[in-house]
Amino acid sequence: MRPLPLLLASLMLATPAAAQAPLAAQGCVGCHGPNGAGMGSVPGLAGRDRAEMIAQMNAFRANERPATIMGRIARGYTEAEIIASAEYFARQPR
Amino acid sequence: MTQTLLPRRALLAAAPLVAAPSVLKAQTQARLLVIGGGFGGATAANFARRTYPWLDVTLVEPKRSFVTCPYGNLVLAGTRQIGQITHSYDGLRARGVRVIHDWATGIDAAQRRVRLANGETLTYDRLILSPGIALRWGAIEGYDEAASETMPHAWVPGDGAQTLLLRRQLEEMPDGGVVGLAIPANPFRCPPGPYERISMIASYLKRHKPRSKILALDAKEAFSKQGLFQDAWAQLYPGMIEWVPGNRDGKVTKVDARERVLETEFGTQHKVAVANVIPPQSAARIAADAGLTDASGWVPVNPRTFESRVAPGIHVVGDANIPGPMPKSGYVANSTAKQAVASAAALLRGETPPEAVYFNTCYSHVGDEYGISIVGVFRPNAEGTAIAEVQGSGGVSPRGNHPEQRRLEALYADAWYESITKDMFA
């Protein structure tokens, strides 16, 4: 069914896997908008500083930061997932 | 990970990722077929096109547009219009998804073929099946499809007619009437949904028909976010809502649609002005017909890949499956659909499916500027045999006097709706 032209397909396959959102970051976009662009009252993550996001997530996890729901969510993430997600969102255009 | 692959696929699965011409050809032709265009299926089709452009994606969905279950209760409250919760498939088409508006009538798992009502047959390399639920007509005596025209379920929105019918009945009801709800035992679609519905109907009645009452007849003794809901009911709608649990004869076993009577297990008859009957449910019929369901009526799946336990190549997402401790919610459908697509893509390339993590965030509106939530993060256990909630994470909003939290959660709920429907349809 509709095979892609070979050249186009090669280009697509050449896209590094790192460009894709890690699945842990996919958990964020249900509220923070596509690519973490933000949505209404929920702040954007795209283009934010990587270290700031990691610090905030760790503060949520440790109950050091006032939270409506992020404390409950952050405690479900591993450190590696927090870092990978922060790196992904830091690279997204604002 | 299953290995009962057909010869061509076995070759594909064994091939390394380097773009050798034969593999490239196979990959550009890998066909992902998605059945069902709701929270699971629309997410799967959209995510597949965005993330794995080498996948050829076809979506089979009979309806031309999708009315969400979430926010249907706000239509009942009169604060949303049905058009605001209706979504087009044009965005998926623009992403390169071939959208076929027809019924899938049968699955041949061995031949990896799906038959459509129009006679066409589609073949696939991997199938994402997200067919939703079937209402078990007759599980409550007298409650069949015809009865739902007088006693709406409004639980499978279809074209929105059921939700609009219930809304119209509420509008036509005289002040002082009783709105009766029949609520099923677990498991069912959207565990907090009936209680958000009670709240939204109460908010409408409080404004327009303040002498009216709500009688909620429940087959269960406990429900999702119960303390938070009951606190809010006492605060916002004092004296309006009576919730009757199963152990107090709350289980509706029989209805008389003409007389608008709900009858419970021990023979108590409740005559109401408006009846909303949410019947017991099972996986949609196509899943049962394909032999994917077990004795419970739902589909057992692999906790890592959401692949059917009995039919290799078919990943079953959304409310039709058995999701372990996770609720049958839109967020879980969205989250598991992505993992299922990522697993399908990996298996098509001969790779190991990614580590799984699943998310659930369910907001409920209980009044004006008053929202509450339940959150969960889940992972397969180390053996990959079951799904468990991550210890120390998740849970419900705090009880007590937290007005800012309630206002923010109502706002965040609206943001959630916009975000997740864009993730599905844009």
Side-chain angles (χ1 to χ4, degrees), chain B residues 191-415:
Chain B
Y195 312 97
E196 183 191 62
R197 176 167 292 178
I198 291 167
S199 312
M200 289 294 92
I201 292 174
S203 93
Y204 167 73
L205 296 177
K206 183 182 177 183
R207 248 190 297 258
H208 300 282
K209 293 162 191 185
R211 294 190 299 113
S212 308
K213 302 273 185 226
I214 297 173
L215 177 65
L217 301 166
D218 206 328
K220 301 182 291 302
E221 278 78 53
F223 59 86
S224 175
K225 309 179 208 172
Q226 182 169 350
L228 288 161
F229 274 116
Q230 290 181 323
D231 291 349
W233 294 345
Q235 183 190 337
L236 302 175
Y237 317 111
M240 183 178 271
I241 298 164
E242 184 187 357
W243 173 72
V244 185
N247 60 5
R248 298 215 172 164
D249 199 22
K251 183 182 180 184
V252 172
T253 53
K254 187 176 175 183
V255 301
D256 183 333
R258 185 182 311 223
E259 297 296 324
R260 287 212 171 91
V261 170
L262 303 171
E263 186 173 328
T264 51
E265 208 170 3
F266 296 103
T268 316
Q269 297 192 336
H270 303 274
K271 190 168 171 64
V272 297
V274 172
N276 171 212
V277 178
I278 304 166
Q281 298 149 30
S282 65
R285 187 176 157 184
I286 191 169
D289 287 350
L292 305 178
T293 50
D294 68 10
S296 72
W298 306 96
V299 179
V301 288
N302 178 313
R304 280 199 177 128
T305 61
F306 275 72
E307 197 167 10
S308 155
R309 293 281 196 187
V310 296
I314 304 178
H315 304 258
V316 183
V317 297
D319 295 337
N321 66 29
I322 300 172
M326 300 190 291
K328 294 185 183 298
S329 74
Y331 212 114
V332 167
N334 173 275
S335 180
T336 54
K338 289 173 179 176
Q339 176 68 15
V341 168
S343 299
L347 292 166
L348 285 166
R349 296 162 101 154
E351 298 167 359
T352 306
E355 286 294 313
V357 54
Y358 306 115
F359 300 93
N360 181 53
T361 300
C362 283
Y363 291 102
S364 301
H365 286 281
V366 294
D368 291 339
E369 300 185 3
Y370 194 129
I372 57 177
S373 64
I374 184 165
V375 168
V377 184
F378 304 86
R379 297 173 193 279
N381 62 10
E383 301 77 33
T385 51
I387 295 170
E389 184 159 13
V390 177
Q391 277 201 344
S393 75
V396 298
S397 315
R399 286 178 74 175
N401 186 32
H402 302 283
E404 186 191 7
Q405 166 114 14
R406 309 288 183 240
R407 279 196 294 274
L408 285 174
E409 294 213 49
L411 288 172
Y412 294 166
D414 295 346

Side-chain angles (χ1 to χ4, degrees), chain A residues 11-27:
Chain A
L11 286 171
M12 286 172 163
L13 283 171
T15 308
Q20 297 165 7
L23 282 163
Q26 290 294 338

Side-chain angles (χ1 to χ4, degrees), chain A residues 1-2 4 6 9 12-13 20 23-24 26-27 29-31 33 39 41-42 68-69 72-73 75-78 81, chain B residues 24 27-28 47 51 53 56 58 331 338-339 359 363 373 375 379 392-397 405 411-412 415-416 419:
Chain A
M1 288 153 62
R2 301 182 304 150
L4 295 165
L6 201 64
M12 286 172 163
L13 283 171
Q20 297 165 7
L23 282 163
Q26 290 294 338
V29 304
C31 296
M39 183 60 72
S41 56
V42 175
T68 47
I69 76 159
R72 290 177 266 158
I73 295 172
R75 284 189 281 278
Y77 280 75
T78 64
E81 286 168 344
Chain B
L24 188 60
Q27 283 181 348
T28 57
F47 180 69
T51 315
D56 183 291
T58 300
Y331 212 114
K338 289 173 179 176
Q339 176 68 15
F359 300 93
Y363 291 102
S373 64
V375 168
R379 297 173 193 279
S393 75
V396 298
S397 315
Q405 166 114 14
L411 288 172
Y412 294 166
W416 165 82
S419 286

Side-chain angles (χ1 to χ4, degrees), chain B residues 56-73:
Chain B
D56 183 291
V57 182
T58 300
L59 172 68
V60 177
E61 162 57 51
K63 294 188 299 295
R64 300 268 158 183
S65 57
F66 180 70
V67 180
T68 58
C69 289
Y71 276 60
N73 291 330

